[in-house]
Amino acid sequence: LKLSRRGPVVAAPRPAHSLPTAENVRGVAAMDIDLLNPDPKEERTKHKLKRMIQSPNSFFMDVKCPGCLQITTVYSHAQTVVLCGNCNQMLCQPTGGLARLTEGCSFRRKVE
């Protein structure tokens, strides 16, 4: 009971959700997700800056020409048409994001 200029003030009862529980008293609360070991599928779908460890979405790849079988290094988000240096066949064409490989071209991600 507190006194104020207007008279005695009675403290309102606590709502049920703020009452101490066994978990809150010990200092350990139950979590729905594991923050230390995130699911790899969920991490892949997150924005590149919102991941636990920031990583780019782009990569370099070796593209094999279906005509002459020569391997050319291409950026995954290439903004120009990439031609084969040997037979001048188009290997990929730009889109708004990832470059679209020509049908018949095979690729593999380049390792650092």
Side-chain angles (χ1 to χ4, degrees), residues 50-91:
K50 305 254 179 174
R51 295 180 188 140
M52 182 176 271
I53 299 173
Q54 296 179 1
S55 59
N57 295 329
S58 58
F59 53 92
F60 286 94
M61 54 188 170
D62 286 333
V63 178
K64 188 185 287 185
C65 176
C68 64
L69 303 178
Q70 181 181 355
I71 295 176
T72 307
T73 300
V74 177
Y75 184 57
S76 63
H77 291 66
Q79 295 181 344
T80 59
V81 173
V82 178
L83 301 174
C84 176
N86 212 11
C87 62
N88 282 344
Q89 184 175 356
M90 183 172 62
L91 297 177

Side-chain angles (χ1 to χ4, degrees), residues 28-39:
V28 178
M31 294 286 294
D32 291 339
I33 56 172
D34 186 7
L35 295 176
L36 292 176
N37 304 307
D39 185 32

